[in-house]
Amino acid sequence: MTVFYIRRLFQMALVLLISAIATYTLLNFAPGGPLAGLRQIQQTGRFQITEDDIARIRAYFELDLYLPYRFMRWFVGWPTGPVEIGGREYFSDVVVGCRKPVETEVLNDDGEYEIQVTGCNELVYMKDLTGRRVSRGIIRGDFGLSWRLLRDRPVSELIISRLPKTIQLIGLSTLLSLFIGIPLGIYSAVKQYSRFDYIFTSLAFMGSAMPTFFFGIVMILLFSLIPKEAGWLYVPAGLSESVRGYTIPLLGEVAAGSVKDRILHLILPVAVLTIVNISYYSRFVRGSMLEVMRQDYIRTARAKGLLERVVIMKHALRNALIPFITIVVFTLPGLFSGAIITESIFAWPGMGRLYLLALGDYDYPVAMAIFFIIAVLTVIATLLRDVLYTIVDPRIRLS
Amino acid sequence: MLRKRLLALLGLLVIASMTLVACGGTDVPAAPSVETVEVIVTEVVEVEREAFTTPHPILSDLKVRQALAYCTNKSDLLKSVYPLISDEARAGLVMDTFIPKSHWAYAGDENVTIYSYDPDKGRALLDEAGWTLAEGADFRTNADGDELSLKFTTTSATFRQTWAAIWEQQMAECGIRIVRLHAPASWWFGDTTGIARRDYELGAFAWVGQADPGGQTLYACDQIPFPTNGWEGQNAMGWCNEAASTNIKLANNTLVQDERIAAYTVVQQEFTKDVPSIPLFNRTETFATAADLTGFAPTPGQEYYNYNVQEWARPGQDTIILGFTQEPASLFTLVEDAFVANIAYQIVRPAQEWHLNYEFTNSPITKELPTLENGGTTNNDVEVSEGTKVVDVNGDVVELAPGVTVKNAAGEEVEFTGGTVTMKQLVSRFEIADGVTWEDGTPVSSADLELGYKIACDPESGATSFITCDKTANVEFLTDAVGYIQTWVPGVQDPLYFVPVWPIYPNHQLGDVPAAEWATNPLVAETPLSYGPYKLVEWVKGEKMVFAANEHWVGGAPATPNFVIQFVTPESAESLLLGGEVDILASESLAGLTQALVDAEAAGAIKTYTEAGGTWEHIDIQLFIR
């Protein structure tokens, strides 16, 4: 068992390293970044971008460093300058980047002219890194500074500001989905081909097939805008709380920011996510239950004269839920990553929206931090799933 | 096994130590390390020719460019993207030159070539150019049998996809095949990709029109980006017309309004004659507000529609809520110049000048703008000698030395050979209005302006451009009033000389904070002290910015005591307005006028405003190939 955990930890570290390198490289090769659009601002007597300005801005965001050094500084917060041993400096003159690349038109193998970086007018050396701002490294929990969304301030500050709302939304909808979805799935499986089963299965298919985007808009119309206009009971169309008080028929005055206000704002986004999840969870449980109910040990349990309730709850459900563990543990990264579409439709200030904004605004430090944390939570969830399997199914041994 | 591993580890350590020794350690310097920059002479790859000097085989022909213009039905393009606005409003959006028709610098219809939609004329021009349509063929070919096919590049925004599809059809009707490429904005507007590298044949994007038309970097001959000049300049079309180039420089370097108008007229004449670009239309700016909101008055030319935020009110409401689809990254606008950041910043620190209807006026926090006419500015003759910092004829700040060409006080271009030369030097006196006070009760002082100057010109602050600092010869801060006397470097003849130069920062609060720390300082980036109508009380990240009336505001109490910027998403914006969660959605948060908004306005629930915005769409034509 101990060997398994040690091996697993190494595997997890390796997976994280590879995913970090891959995502960092991909994002860094993507066009955009802090300089995007700068040349699209018309230059005037009061605003001019020169080659020196470009070089300065590139250096400010470390874009003048070669990718491996940039990655290392982001990942482990090193190198920060020459290595100092015994009062002497080493690697001072190692070239780590280029401040002003030379671009030249060259003839490529296809006989076409293309512009390539062919040299460098100002190199950056290891000794130039001394005194430059640098994070302590993402593996030490320092995600660096935001490029765009919270310019020059810690990425962690952004994440912390959004995380509670996402946990609130995803946590609540996941719990509700589990509490409603599992019994529905069991009941549908036990009553296979009954009228309930047909209706439930049809609704579940509809729920899982309907795009969240469309579903959310329909919900806003049906439960917010139309009833409000008609003077009926309604729920707010979006946001996590109101800025000023309002009155809802039957419910009366609602103070801005009150518990009542917050609960009312949770209803629509939670409902959308819950309904979509229920259709997924319940169909999974139903399928799994049907599989288990055909097993010999269920027949044996019934032959022993056990009550049907005991057969279902004790013998069938426990075995049917084993594959369900995979689904449940992988809600862990979901708690962090949020629900991009639902958060957008309801203007919910969560992680999903932050992630979308980070990619749209080329705020790669924020996007990378989210990627990395999701990767960490995914590998943790994988480990958790393996451990949980051994608990719920004694036949499984980790070795 | 263990022994083997230990030996391997030891081996690695030995190799590492040898490497260190081989690298030759140097003594740690006693003084802090200083960033050094070494100029490396690199091998330059031989190229057979300078890039972008070969005329484009199709588009260098004026007749083809004129045909493209005649075959373009701008009204239909507008209809495709703004189907809900009236025909009259649509007609007012059509652009014929690079300056909107309502602008003071517009040449007038009679002074420019207007390419009204006339496909027959377009087809005739193409025939003349040798591009004929064979019987039964859809697209034209030349004598060599080459098809008239052009690559059209723009962004993948829905707005551009919509009108580009219509334009493609319009061109097809004239026998021109358009191959559309909708690239990501990050590539199209990238620093080293797309437009910046002239990587297009026909390219569509927008420029933001301003109260001052500028244009020197867009249309002057010496502003064409090449690999050899580090891609500097914004004339990516490669258009070089001597008359236009001379006049666009004149328009941007003379202080006399009439001279400017005359120069812009010449540029527009040449521009429409040569057709290096096809101006299409002004984008609209749509605003939607609660039906009972008063005081909201967006005005053409005034970039920040909340310039009069203190006048906004709703009966019975003590809070006005503005919906924003984008959250400001920082309120340190020296480094963060996004539109939303400026809108939020204006609430606490109003601009020093307004641009209502494209005219410059002072805002409530400044005294009259210093012009030559009112005596606030003087344009003095000064004698300069070798070593003096001046602006040369190219607009570059240089030290005067033999060989440098400058404009003398008589307006003649002279090459400096030694001795002295008399040049013009602008000196302006800017003053802040009486009674402007910070929210903590401290009066705004000249020291606050001095701090603004210090930070704006400190490279450590993270500011993007320092050209204004480079062009400043001296700033004298007033002791008898709140303000400063700005002396420009000899040769600076900026037509916007009367626009206030330096920001106002609270010296009593931030005077000791080093420039390098400003971008990360919450007092700068998140809760800037206010001298405006409202003060920022709370910024809940991702949710809202809460403002309360500033009792020290020089203009008196705002009409509504509280103001909130609520962050919404583009997907939720309209439903939140209709649901009463926000009172105002401005152009940056609305995709345009939608049927839902039109219906809601008809039902009396909201009020909409549609105006010609400063931003204008155009198709640039690449006149040269690599």
Side-chain angles (χ1 to χ4, degrees), chain A residues 37 39 41-43 46 48 56 87-89 103 105 113 122 148 152-153 165 228 242-244 344-345, chain B residues 25-26 28 37 47-49 189 197 215 234 319 329 463-465 520 526 543 566 569 579 581 583:
Chain A
R39 290 198 192 262
I41 302 170
Q42 193 187 146
Q43 302 198 16
R46 300 273 176 102
Q48 283 173 22
R56 187 170 36 77
R88 293 169 74 83
E89 280 186 349
E103 288 182 326
E105 182 168 69
Y113 284 95
E122 280 185 30
R148 298 286 273 254
D152 287 330
R153 279 159 296 149
K165 295 280 181 190
K228 188 183 178 191
S242 278
V243 168
R244 59 183 170 222
S344 296
I345 296 167
Chain B
T26 51
V28 178
V37 169
V47 291
E48 291 179 5
R49 57 182 169 73
F189 300 129
R197 292 293 182 267
Q234 295 180 302
T319 306
T464 308
S465 171
T520 51
E526 294 183 21
E543 294 188 43
Q566 176 74 60
T569 56
E581 297 271 5
D583 299 323

Side-chain angles (χ1 to χ4, degrees), chain A residues 94-231:
Chain A
V94 171
V95 176
V96 294
C98 174
R99 195 173 160 89
K100 287 184 180 172
V102 173
E103 288 182 326
T104 321
E105 182 168 69
V106 294
L107 198 61
N108 66 17
D109 296 339
D110 301 329
E112 289 175 354
Y113 284 95
E114 63 177 28
I115 288 150
Q116 287 180 2
V117 174
T118 54
C120 180
N121 270 340
E122 280 185 30
L123 293 169
V124 182
Y125 296 94
M126 188 71 89
K127 60 191 172 197
D128 298 331
L129 299 181
T130 308
R132 267 203 191 192
R133 63 180 190 176
V134 63
S135 75
R136 289 187 297 113
I138 203 160
I139 57 165
R140 282 182 245 176
D142 185 347
F143 302 115
L145 303 178
S146 162
W147 280 0
R148 298 286 273 254
L149 296 179
L150 198 63
R151 198 183 152 115
D152 287 330
R153 279 159 296 149
V155 170
S156 53
E157 210 177 290
L158 255 181
I159 290 174
I160 288 166
S161 72
R162 302 294 182 101
L163 200 52
K165 295 280 181 190
T166 285
I167 292 175
Q168 199 179 42
L169 178 68
I170 307 288
L172 190 58
S173 64
T174 305
L175 282 178
L176 280 173
S177 312
L178 290 173
F179 278 122
I180 301 169
I182 294 175
L184 276 178
I186 297 168
Y187 190 73
S188 186
V190 172
K191 303 283 180 189
Q192 195 185 11
Y193 304 133
S194 65
R195 188 175 294 171
F196 171 85
D197 186 35
Y198 282 125
I199 295 170
F200 160 76
T201 316
S202 305
L203 288 175
F205 269 117
M206 278 171 64
S208 55
M210 199 181 289
T212 319
F213 187 82
F214 175 73
F215 193 36
I217 291 172
V218 169
M219 295 279 276
I220 289 173
L221 279 173
L222 290 180
F223 298 103
S224 182
L225 298 184
I226 293 174
K228 188 183 178 191
E229 206 176 319

Side-chain angles (χ1 to χ4, degrees), chain B residues 89-428:
Chain B
R90 215 173 280 141
L93 297 173
V94 169
M95 295 272 288
D96 291 314
T97 79
F98 57 90
I99 295 177
K101 287 178 191 287
S102 62
H103 200 285
W104 58 264
Y106 181 60
D109 290 355
E110 66 284 3
N111 291 320
V112 294
T113 311
I114 292 178
Y115 296 87
S116 304
Y117 178 54
D118 190 344
D120 289 336
K121 210 181 257 185
R123 289 185 197 109
L125 280 164
L126 289 172
D127 286 338
E128 281 178 40
W131 294 99
T132 54
L133 194 62
E135 205 173 313
D138 290 329
F139 298 105
R140 290 168 182 271
T141 49
N142 63 8
D144 297 334
D146 300 328
E147 190 180 79
L148 180 50
S149 174
L150 294 164
K151 198 170 103 182
F152 169 85
T153 312
T154 189
T155 63
S156 51
T158 313
F159 176 82
R160 292 213 171 94
Q161 298 217 28
T162 305
W163 72 251
I166 305 294
W167 192 67
E168 184 185 350
Q169 287 170 18
Q170 292 173 359
M171 293 303 109
E173 282 164 20
C174 283
I176 306 166
R177 185 197 288 277
I178 294 295
V179 181
R180 283 196 284 144
L181 171 65
H182 290 281
S186 54
W187 179 86
W188 186 225
F189 300 129
D191 179 49
T192 56
T193 51
I195 300 168
R197 292 293 182 267
R198 303 175 65 180
D199 195 357
Y200 63 89
E201 281 190 321
L202 298 167
F205 59 102
W207 283 118
V208 180
Q210 291 165 347
D212 187 85
Q216 181 165 336
T217 58
L218 309 187
Y219 307 123
C221 290
D222 59 5
Q223 294 296 322
I224 299 172
F226 288 106
T228 45
N229 69 1
W231 301 99
E232 288 209 33
Q234 295 180 302
N235 184 353
M237 308 163 289
W239 181 49
C240 182
N241 173 312
E242 284 304 333
S245 186
T246 307
N247 279 280
I248 197 72
K249 286 184 179 178
L250 177 65
N252 281 274
N253 293 286
T254 179
L255 311 181
V256 184
Q257 183 84 340
D258 290 343
E259 273 181 27
R260 300 195 74 202
I261 291 171
Y264 274 123
T265 300
V266 174
V267 182
Q268 289 171 80
Q269 277 168 347
E270 297 300 317
F271 181 85
T272 53
K273 211 168 69 189
D274 281 1
V275 203
S277 168
I278 305 173
L280 297 175
F281 53 84
N282 266 118
R283 282 199 217 157
T284 61
E285 285 190 353
T286 303
F287 304 86
T289 69
D292 56 359
L293 182 82
T294 56
F296 185 71
T299 308
Q302 177 58 29
E303 197 179 359
Y304 307 117
Y305 55 82
N306 62 341
Y307 67 97
N308 67 338
V309 64
Q310 63 277 6
E311 295 169 23
W312 298 359
R314 279 188 74 186
Q317 298 287 2
D318 64 355
T319 306
I320 297 291
I321 309 167
L322 170 65
F324 253 20
T325 50
Q326 197 188 335
E327 185 169 2
S330 165
L331 291 185
F332 184 30
T333 52
L334 202 62
V335 298
E336 174 56 43
D337 62 353
F339 184 74
V340 286
N342 278 299
I343 287 282
Y345 191 71
Q346 296 294 313
I347 297 169
V348 291
R349 294 188 187 165
Q352 296 175 49
E353 90 282 356
W354 285 352
H355 312 144
L356 303 175
N357 295 309
Y358 296 108
E359 298 290 345
F360 286 88
T361 53
N362 59 300
S363 79
I365 67 151
T366 44
K367 290 187 177 168
E368 194 177 19
L369 298 181
T371 61
L372 290 164
E373 291 76 19
N374 66 23
T377 295
T378 51
N379 200 10
N380 307 320
D381 289 352
V382 288
E383 284 204 340
V384 291
S385 54
E386 189 168 349
T388 311
K389 197 162 78 165
V390 297
V391 165
D392 68 8
V393 286
N394 297 320
D396 297 325
V397 181
V398 293
E399 276 193 5
L400 193 60
V404 171
T405 308
V406 295
K407 203 172 258 187
N408 67 16
E412 301 154 348
E413 287 187 9
V414 290
E415 189 179 319
F416 182 73
T417 51
T420 59
V421 61
T422 307
M423 294 180 73
K424 286 285 183 192
Q425 184 171 45
L426 285 164
V427 181
S428 303

